Amino acid sequence: MKAVEVKELTKRYGTLEAVKGISLSVEKGEIFGLLGPNGAGKTTTINILCTLQKATSGEAWVNGFPVARQRDEVRRSIGLVFQDPSLDDYLTAYENMSFHAWCYGVPGGVRRERIRMLLEMVQLWERRNDQVKTFSGGMKRRLEIARGLLHYPAVLFLDEPTLGLDPQTRRRIWEYIMELREQEGLTIVMTTHYMDEAEPCHRIAVIDEGRIVALDSPEGLKRRLGGDVVILETDDNQGVALELERRYSLAAELRDGSLRFTVDRGSQFIPELMRSLGQGIRSINLRRPTLDDVFLSLTGHDIRDEKPDSRAEIRAHFRQRGGPRR
Amino acid sequence: MMEMLRAIYIIWYRELLRFVRERSRMFSALAMPLLFLVIFGAGFKNLVGNLAGGVDFVTFMYPGIVAMSVLMTAFMSGMSIVWDREFGFLREVLVAPIPRMGVALGKTLGGATVAMLQGCLLLFLAPVVGVALTPIKVALLLPMLLVVALAIASLGVLIASRMRSMQAFQFLMTLVFFPMTFLSGVFFPVTNLPPWLMLVVRVNPVTYGVDAIRQLFLQGMTLPAVNPSLGINPTLGALGASPGKDAPYALAVTLFGHPMTMLQDMGVVALFGAVVLSLAVWSFNRQD
Ligand SMILES: Nc1ncnc2c1ncn2[C@@H]1O[C@H](COP(=O)(O)OP(=O)(O)O)[C@@H](O)[C@H]1O
Ligand SMILES: [Mg+2]
């Protein structure tokens, strides 16, 4: 049995088709990433998998249960960290945990132990009796992660778990997630639009405009690019691009005033390049491909070319910093 | 069934916790009615003097103020689903393996409980405004307040389950809640009103709740009095109330010329509450 199985899933909002036929499966114990820009349909997909929204067509199973028909079984099988905060700010950290434990029927005997263990793990035990509204964005996120694990879920869904957090906090949160996975043998399905955040995944589905454009391990994805990424700045970009095409059959792409292409064994190619085209070159940058490069080559646009949807991120950011309260 | 009870209990319990935590909400729900009591009471007392049946205006207003406090707290608590949605907590609830019906019922019960507590706090003012409370009166009052609170909390839940934005909230307060409250006889006797307003007053279920509460409070304090302008169904056109010695209470609301007894009043509120609560549960169940 797969941890998650999705077949031809679609979701329509009026005339907008947010998810256009996604199929994938996630193995038990896997860390699976959905990587894509804002508005790609990641949250919509997660919401369907966790029974918060109904699919327009297609089917999905989580932990062996069909999400459309056995909602409660699915709900009991999953832990969730939503994209936007979902804590009760007026309750304390401990009360938020207790509320969750009650909702999921965690038996009284283990409840206290479990809450204590998780709060200690995310280093919030000392603050357990403080109201959540006094917490920073990072602390709230940690609390949400602890809460998502409280009822021993089989699959943990993390929707942009580190959105709006500073790099240190992001790293810390990833450490917790990894530690927890080791301990509990969890399956993790996460979404992100930070490329570096997707690196620890076993497999990544690159998703753009509601479609999966590639599905592979991070290494596999990078291998597809074929070699290393070279970025050239020259006096005459047009001319150099033509030369590259003619002499080496390399398709260079002009972006932000520089040429970018991928080539096998880049370190040996550069001396050769200097010999043939040396005069006009102002700078050369050679590097291993990143997932950013992969995304760019798969979709033809940068993952950070934000759609108007980045509004959602600003809002999330604002809230985590403790925006207006009633 | 156990699941249902568990859901009701958790949601109810959270509602109480929040009430204790959110002091500002508690204070505003207390301060507003008090302010009204002081300002209107002092202002109108000189203007109006004693009402029909020799009731002092402040004495008249006080039960209305208790009712208003309960109404407001109950309505706001039911409506707090909108905040839960806005600040994300609702998703935590909706994705939990608990029946939605239990969530809606728990929210209603929680809102009603909180409203009752709020109302009870105001009861300590009774001696100050010259209303004599006996244990029997209080014992009768509590279930009354509960029925009213449940009905209005349900209304809050029903509206909130369909509401997606905070902007709509202000709009609803202004266009639904305040008219409902003010046109229920909270601040002034619903007599001597133009016919069309009288009609609104009679259609408004809150009127009956307020009427029942006031009847209870003022029981034994009023003399049966003649008040021909009171409670005549304009379409019937008759001065049919024929208030007289048998009129249970001189300021009572009448329906088709019949002065409502407390029990009948409560019947109307209970019926309204039952309908709205069913709608609220149904509506909450259907949302995504
Ligand atoms: N409730 C909704 N109603 C209408 N459109 C929506 C709704 N939720 C999301 N969308 C749209 O669906 C698309 C996918 O959104 P989403 O799944 O949130 O993307 P992501 O999580 O990848 O940023 C976006 O264009 C978004 O504007
Ligand atoms: Mg998203």
Side-chain angles (χ1 to χ4, degrees):
Chain A
M1 189 184 70
K2 309 276 190 202
V4 178
E5 178 111 52
V6 177
K7 286 205 176 120
E8 293 298 319
L9 203 67
T10 70
K11 176 69 184 182
R12 221 175 242 293
Y13 295 112
T15 55
L16 176 89
E17 203 172 7
V19 177
K20 300 169 182 162
I22 282 183
S23 300
L24 54 85
S25 64
V26 180
E27 302 293 333
K28 281 204 167 139
E30 194 176 6
I31 305 182
F32 189 91
L34 287 172
L35 174 68
N38 275 330
K42 305 180 298 291
T43 298
T44 305
T45 306
I46 296 272
N47 280 351
I48 293 169
L49 290 179
C50 67
T51 75
L52 271 176
Q53 286 182 7
K54 289 197 178 83
T56 306
S57 72
E59 275 188 283
W61 293 261
V62 172
N63 203 23
F65 302 112
V67 294
R69 277 160 286 139
Q70 286 178 268
R71 291 180 161 218
D72 275 354
E73 284 79 359
V74 171
R75 288 172 181 173
R76 256 184 271 277
S77 312
I78 60 173
L80 255 171
V81 176
F82 298 99
Q83 180 173 326
D84 298 320
S86 63
L87 296 162
D88 187 333
D89 275 1
Y90 282 90
L91 302 189
T92 64
Y94 197 90
E95 285 162 351
N96 268 287
M97 294 292 271
S98 281
F99 180 88
H100 189 89
W102 271 93
C103 281
Y104 285 78
V106 178
V110 286
R111 189 161 57 225
R112 275 184 207 172
E113 271 309 296
R114 180 79 177 163
I115 292 178
R116 178 174 186 143
M117 178 218 127
L118 286 166
L119 283 181
E120 275 174 351
M121 166 172 274
V122 297
Q123 297 175 344
L124 287 173
W125 179 246
E126 306 294 311
R127 300 287 306 268
R128 65 189 177 279
N129 291 326
D130 291 345
Q131 283 184 46
V132 171
K133 66 177 173 186
T134 64
F135 285 12
S136 71
M139 290 163 77
K140 287 185 188 177
R141 221 55 183 149
R142 269 145 53 197
L143 179 57
E144 286 183 308
I145 290 170
R147 185 181 67 178
L149 289 163
L150 190 50
H151 55 284
Y152 305 92
V155 185
L156 179 67
F157 288 96
L158 301 164
D159 195 1
E160 313 254 5
T162 61
L163 190 73
L165 302 180
D166 58 273
Q168 273 121 312
T169 316
R170 277 169 67 184
R171 208 167 321 116
R172 283 271 295 289
I173 284 181
W174 270 110
E175 281 166 21
Y176 294 129
I177 294 174
M178 290 317 205
E179 197 181 327
L180 289 165
R181 199 190 70 92
E182 302 259 296
Q183 285 178 12
E184 317 243 330
L186 276 172
T187 306
I188 295 178
V189 177
M190 56 162 294
T191 79
T192 183
H193 68 276
Y194 295 123
M195 290 290 172
D196 52 337
E197 200 161 82
E199 297 275 359
C201 295
H202 296 123
R203 284 188 308 148
I204 296 171
V206 181
I207 165 168
D208 189 38
E209 293 178 354
R211 283 201 182 81
I212 294 182
V213 291
L215 202 166
D216 207 337
S217 63
E219 294 69 36
L221 286 172
K222 288 177 202 166
R223 253 198 316 273
R224 289 186 189 196
L225 277 180
D228 302 313
V229 177
V230 180
I231 297 169
L232 279 184
E233 267 184 69
T234 66
D235 294 334
D236 173 19
N237 284 334
Q238 278 334 236
V240 172
L242 282 175
E243 280 299 294
L244 284 169
E245 173 76 52
R246 198 174 58 82
R247 291 193 197 201
Y248 309 104
S249 323
L250 287 170
E253 199 192 341
L254 187 61
R255 269 185 84 83
D256 306 329
S258 56
L259 288 166
R260 176 202 287 252
F261 57 91
T262 50
V263 64
D264 274 337
R265 286 190 290 277
S267 50
Q268 287 161 39
F269 178 74
I270 284 175
E272 162 67 24
L273 186 70
M274 289 305 290
R275 271 194 294 281
S276 58
L277 299 168
Q279 304 86 335
I281 295 177
R282 281 193 237 139
S283 76
I284 300 180
N285 183 333
L286 171 75
R287 57 178 166 80
R288 299 288 308 150
T290 63
L291 286 173
D292 283 288
D293 301 315
V294 174
F295 189 83
L296 183 63
S297 84
L298 283 170
T299 65
H301 58 90
D302 200 281
I303 198 162
R304 272 177 292 269
D305 289 348
E306 303 248 315
K307 306 232 161 62
D309 218 80
S310 55
R311 190 172 61 91
E313 180 173 2
I314 294 165
R315 215 169 57 170
H317 197 86
F318 182 57
R319 277 195 206 145
Q320 292 203 338
R321 301 283 137 119
R325 293 286 127 89
R326 61 164 120 160
Chain B
M1 197 55 215
M2 272 316 289
E3 295 270 284
M4 184 70 77
L5 290 179
R6 190 162 54 100
I8 293 174
Y9 172 73
I10 312 163
I11 303 291
W12 173 82
Y13 184 68
R14 168 184 176 244
E15 216 53 35
L16 289 198
L17 267 182
R18 273 194 82 112
F19 177 69
V20 179
R21 289 294 147 69
E22 265 184 283
R23 301 267 157 66
S24 64
R25 198 171 113 194
M26 193 160 103
F27 281 126
S28 75
L30 262 183
M32 185 125 128
L34 280 180
L35 221 65
F36 279 135
L37 189 62
V38 172
I39 295 173
F40 282 175
F44 284 139
K45 193 172 177 171
N46 300 328
L47 207 67
V48 182
N50 283 356
L51 297 169
V55 179
D56 175 79
F57 189 69
V58 174
T59 311
F60 168 86
M61 235 181 104
Y62 171 70
I65 292 293
V66 174
M68 184 192 172
S69 176
V70 170
L71 289 171
M72 190 145 132
T73 313
F75 191 70
M76 294 292 273
S77 300
M79 289 283 281
S80 68
I81 289 177
V82 178
W83 276 280
D84 288 344
R85 195 195 314 280
E86 185 70 13
F87 291 107
F89 189 74
L90 188 63
R91 250 167 314 154
E92 153 83 353
V93 175
L94 291 184
V95 84
I98 51 176
R100 297 254 165 114
M101 185 177 173
V103 177
L105 290 176
K107 197 83 188 171
T108 308
L109 265 178
T113 310
V114 166
M116 295 270 298
L117 291 175
Q118 193 81 256
C120 289
L121 280 179
L122 281 175
L123 288 187
F124 290 105
L125 274 184
V128 182
V129 296
V131 173
L133 278 180
T134 60
I136 296 169
K137 270 193 189 179
V138 175
L140 282 172
L141 185 67
L142 292 183
M144 270 185 184
L145 288 181
L146 183 65
V147 172
V148 173
L150 279 173
I152 298 304
S154 312
L155 186 64
V157 172
L158 172 63
I159 293 173
S161 70
R162 292 286 116 193
M163 224 168 89
R164 288 296 175 272
S165 79
M166 299 285 280
Q167 281 87 333
F169 178 77
Q170 277 306 325
F171 180 81
L172 271 161
M173 283 307 275
T174 318
L175 258 87
V176 177
F177 183 73
F178 285 121
M180 251 184 131
T181 313
F182 288 117
L183 290 177
S184 69
V186 168
F187 296 126
F188 46 84
V190 281
T191 57
N192 296 325
L193 292 177
W196 67 272
L197 259 187
M198 213 53 214
L199 192 68
V200 178
V201 167
R202 284 219 180 74
V203 171
N204 179 5
V206 178
T207 306
Y208 301 94
V210 173
D211 185 55
I213 291 168
R214 179 166 289 131
Q215 283 193 44
L216 181 69
F217 264 105
L218 303 185
Q219 220 172 29
M221 298 185 62
T222 44
L223 316 159
V226 178
N227 191 341
S229 63
L230 181 87
I232 287 106
N233 186 321
T235 51
L236 292 183
L239 296 169
S242 64
K245 298 235 178 316
D246 56 339
Y249 164 55
L251 295 171
V253 172
T254 61
L255 202 57
F256 304 113
H258 166 74
M260 299 291 281
T261 63
M262 274 188 269
L263 210 61
Q264 288 163 340
D265 274 334
M266 289 323 290
V268 173
V269 179
L271 190 69
F272 169 78
V275 171
V276 175
L277 183 58
S278 318
L279 284 176
V281 167
W282 172 79
S283 171
F284 189 80
N285 235 322
R286 272 172 36 105
Q287 75 174 330
D288 51 31

mmCIF file of all heavy atoms in Angstrom, chain A residues 36-44 46 83-84 159-160 163 191-193 309 312, ligand 2:
data_model
loop_
_atom_site.group_PDB
_atom_site.id
_atom_site.type_symbol
_atom_site.label_atom_id
_atom_site.label_comp_id
_atom_site.label_asym_id
_atom_site.label_seq_id
_atom_site.Cartn_x
_atom_site.Cartn_y
_atom_site.Cartn_z
ATOM 1 N N GLY A 36 6.937 24.255 -6.657
ATOM 2 C CA GLY A 36 6.384 25.075 -7.723
ATOM 3 C C GLY A 36 6.152 26.491 -7.248
ATOM 4 O O GLY A 36 6.118 26.742 -6.045
ATOM 5 N N PRO A 37 5.988 27.411 -8.197
ATOM 6 C CA PRO A 37 5.807 28.816 -7.812
ATOM 7 C C PRO A 37 4.448 29.037 -7.168
ATOM 8 O O PRO A 37 3.596 28.153 -7.186
ATOM 9 C CB PRO A 37 5.899 29.560 -9.148
ATOM 10 C CG PRO A 37 5.468 28.567 -10.163
ATOM 11 C CD PRO A 37 5.906 27.222 -9.654
ATOM 12 N N ASN A 38 4.247 30.209 -6.637
ATOM 13 C CA ASN A 38 2.935 30.566 -6.088
ATOM 14 C C ASN A 38 1.869 30.437 -7.151
ATOM 15 O O ASN A 38 2.070 30.826 -8.288
ATOM 16 C CB ASN A 38 2.952 32.006 -5.581
ATOM 17 C CG ASN A 38 3.478 32.088 -4.174
ATOM 18 O OD1 ASN A 38 3.311 31.151 -3.405
ATOM 19 N ND2 ASN A 38 4.129 33.177 -3.852
ATOM 20 N N GLY A 39 0.738 29.869 -6.761
ATOM 21 C CA GLY A 39 -0.370 29.734 -7.693
ATOM 22 C C GLY A 39 -0.288 28.489 -8.556
ATOM 23 O O GLY A 39 -1.105 28.280 -9.441
ATOM 24 N N ALA A 40 0.701 27.622 -8.282
ATOM 25 C CA ALA A 40 0.870 26.420 -9.101
ATOM 26 C C ALA A 40 -0.207 25.378 -8.818
ATOM 27 O O ALA A 40 -0.458 24.492 -9.626
ATOM 28 C CB ALA A 40 2.250 25.817 -8.854
ATOM 29 N N GLY A 41 -0.838 25.485 -7.658
ATOM 30 C CA GLY A 41 -1.859 24.498 -7.303
ATOM 31 C C GLY A 41 -1.430 23.558 -6.191
ATOM 32 O O GLY A 41 -2.092 22.552 -5.948
ATOM 33 N N LYS A 42 -0.360 23.885 -5.496
ATOM 34 C CA LYS A 42 0.142 23.008 -4.435
ATOM 35 C C LYS A 42 -0.823 22.932 -3.252
ATOM 36 O O LYS A 42 -1.189 21.845 -2.815
ATOM 37 C CB LYS A 42 1.516 23.502 -3.932
ATOM 38 C CG LYS A 42 2.552 23.667 -5.021
ATOM 39 C CD LYS A 42 3.873 24.166 -4.458
ATOM 40 C CE LYS A 42 3.815 25.523 -3.793
ATOM 41 N NZ LYS A 42 3.595 26.675 -4.679
ATOM 42 N N THR A 43 -1.221 24.094 -2.773
ATOM 43 C CA THR A 43 -2.119 24.107 -1.611
ATOM 44 C C THR A 43 -3.450 23.444 -1.938
ATOM 45 O O THR A 43 -3.993 22.681 -1.134
ATOM 46 C CB THR A 43 -2.348 25.559 -1.134
ATOM 47 O OG1 THR A 43 -1.093 26.100 -0.732
ATOM 48 C CG2 THR A 43 -3.309 25.619 0.026
ATOM 49 N N THR A 44 -3.943 23.709 -3.132
ATOM 50 C CA THR A 44 -5.192 23.083 -3.548
ATOM 51 C C THR A 44 -5.066 21.566 -3.507
ATOM 52 O O THR A 44 -5.946 20.869 -2.987
ATOM 53 C CB THR A 44 -5.562 23.558 -4.968
ATOM 54 O OG1 THR A 44 -5.611 24.990 -4.980
ATOM 55 C CG2 THR A 44 -6.895 23.011 -5.398
ATOM 56 N N ILE A 46 -2.959 19.740 -1.732
ATOM 57 C CA ILE A 46 -2.872 19.301 -0.331
ATOM 58 C C ILE A 46 -4.242 19.339 0.331
ATOM 59 O O ILE A 46 -4.638 18.409 1.032
ATOM 60 C CB ILE A 46 -1.898 20.218 0.457
ATOM 61 C CG1 ILE A 46 -0.486 20.094 -0.100
ATOM 62 C CG2 ILE A 46 -1.951 19.911 1.948
ATOM 63 C CD1 ILE A 46 0.344 19.004 0.493
ATOM 64 N N GLN A 83 -0.475 26.133 5.414
ATOM 65 C CA GLN A 83 0.317 27.247 4.903
ATOM 66 C C GLN A 83 0.154 28.483 5.800
ATOM 67 O O GLN A 83 1.128 29.142 6.129
ATOM 68 C CB GLN A 83 -0.139 27.554 3.480
ATOM 69 C CG GLN A 83 0.602 28.703 2.840
ATOM 70 C CD GLN A 83 0.238 28.844 1.375
ATOM 71 O OE1 GLN A 83 -0.015 27.876 0.673
ATOM 72 N NE2 GLN A 83 0.217 30.071 0.911
ATOM 73 N N ASP A 84 -1.085 28.758 6.187
ATOM 74 C CA ASP A 84 -1.338 29.893 7.082
ATOM 75 C C ASP A 84 -1.462 29.390 8.518
ATOM 76 O O ASP A 84 -1.854 28.255 8.738
ATOM 77 C CB ASP A 84 -2.631 30.603 6.674
ATOM 78 C CG ASP A 84 -2.548 31.186 5.274
ATOM 79 O OD1 ASP A 84 -1.480 31.727 4.946
ATOM 80 O OD2 ASP A 84 -3.526 31.076 4.526
ATOM 81 N N ASP A 159 2.538 22.273 4.386
ATOM 82 C CA ASP A 159 2.330 23.207 3.277
ATOM 83 C C ASP A 159 3.148 24.464 3.538
ATOM 84 O O ASP A 159 2.793 25.253 4.409
ATOM 85 C CB ASP A 159 0.837 23.525 3.148
ATOM 86 C CG ASP A 159 0.504 24.195 1.811
ATOM 87 O OD1 ASP A 159 1.443 24.389 1.003
ATOM 88 O OD2 ASP A 159 -0.678 24.515 1.586
ATOM 89 N N GLU A 160 4.221 24.608 2.798
ATOM 90 C CA GLU A 160 5.129 25.748 2.970
ATOM 91 C C GLU A 160 5.490 25.941 4.448
ATOM 92 O O GLU A 160 5.216 26.998 5.024
ATOM 93 C CB GLU A 160 4.476 27.036 2.440
ATOM 94 C CG GLU A 160 3.857 26.877 1.079
ATOM 95 C CD GLU A 160 4.647 27.524 -0.039
ATOM 96 O OE1 GLU A 160 5.757 28.035 0.236
ATOM 97 O OE2 GLU A 160 4.174 27.490 -1.181
ATOM 98 N N LEU A 163 7.351 29.240 5.460
ATOM 99 C CA LEU A 163 7.003 30.481 4.767
ATOM 100 C C LEU A 163 7.112 31.681 5.702
ATOM 101 O O LEU A 163 6.584 31.689 6.800
ATOM 102 C CB LEU A 163 5.561 30.374 4.269
ATOM 103 C CG LEU A 163 5.099 31.472 3.319
ATOM 104 C CD1 LEU A 163 5.742 31.296 1.964
ATOM 105 C CD2 LEU A 163 3.590 31.441 3.194
ATOM 106 N N THR A 191 5.150 20.942 0.546
ATOM 107 C CA THR A 191 5.182 21.826 -0.611
ATOM 108 C C THR A 191 6.119 22.978 -0.294
ATOM 109 O O THR A 191 6.317 23.314 0.862
ATOM 110 C CB THR A 191 3.803 22.443 -0.922
ATOM 111 O OG1 THR A 191 3.580 23.528 -0.016
ATOM 112 C CG2 THR A 191 2.691 21.444 -0.780
ATOM 113 N N THR A 192 6.681 23.531 -1.316
ATOM 114 C CA THR A 192 7.537 24.683 -1.097
ATOM 115 C C THR A 192 7.755 25.409 -2.409
ATOM 116 O O THR A 192 7.572 24.843 -3.484
ATOM 117 C CB THR A 192 8.902 24.279 -0.519
ATOM 118 O OG1 THR A 192 9.665 25.450 -0.267
ATOM 119 C CG2 THR A 192 9.673 23.388 -1.475
ATOM 120 N N HIS A 193 8.099 26.670 -2.311
ATOM 121 C CA HIS A 193 8.610 27.303 -3.519
ATOM 122 C C HIS A 193 10.035 27.795 -3.293
ATOM 123 O O HIS A 193 10.571 28.534 -4.097
ATOM 124 C CB HIS A 193 7.674 28.394 -4.026
ATOM 125 C CG HIS A 193 7.571 29.600 -3.153
ATOM 126 N ND1 HIS A 193 6.724 29.664 -2.086
ATOM 127 C CD2 HIS A 193 8.228 30.776 -3.188
ATOM 128 C CE1 HIS A 193 6.846 30.833 -1.496
ATOM 129 N NE2 HIS A 193 7.757 31.528 -2.135
ATOM 130 N N ASP A 309 -0.477 36.252 -7.070
ATOM 131 C CA ASP A 309 -0.839 35.475 -5.903
ATOM 132 C C ASP A 309 0.071 35.678 -4.683
ATOM 133 O O ASP A 309 -0.252 35.256 -3.596
ATOM 134 C CB ASP A 309 -0.813 33.998 -6.279
ATOM 135 C CG ASP A 309 -1.947 33.255 -5.610
ATOM 136 O OD1 ASP A 309 -3.058 33.350 -6.120
ATOM 137 O OD2 ASP A 309 -1.694 32.619 -4.582
ATOM 138 N N ALA A 312 -0.914 36.275 -1.043
ATOM 139 C CA ALA A 312 -1.146 35.281 0.003
ATOM 140 C C ALA A 312 0.058 35.183 0.932
ATOM 141 O O ALA A 312 -0.073 35.049 2.135
ATOM 142 C CB ALA A 312 -1.435 33.922 -0.622
HETATM 143 MG MG MG C 2 0.158 27.459 -1.359
#
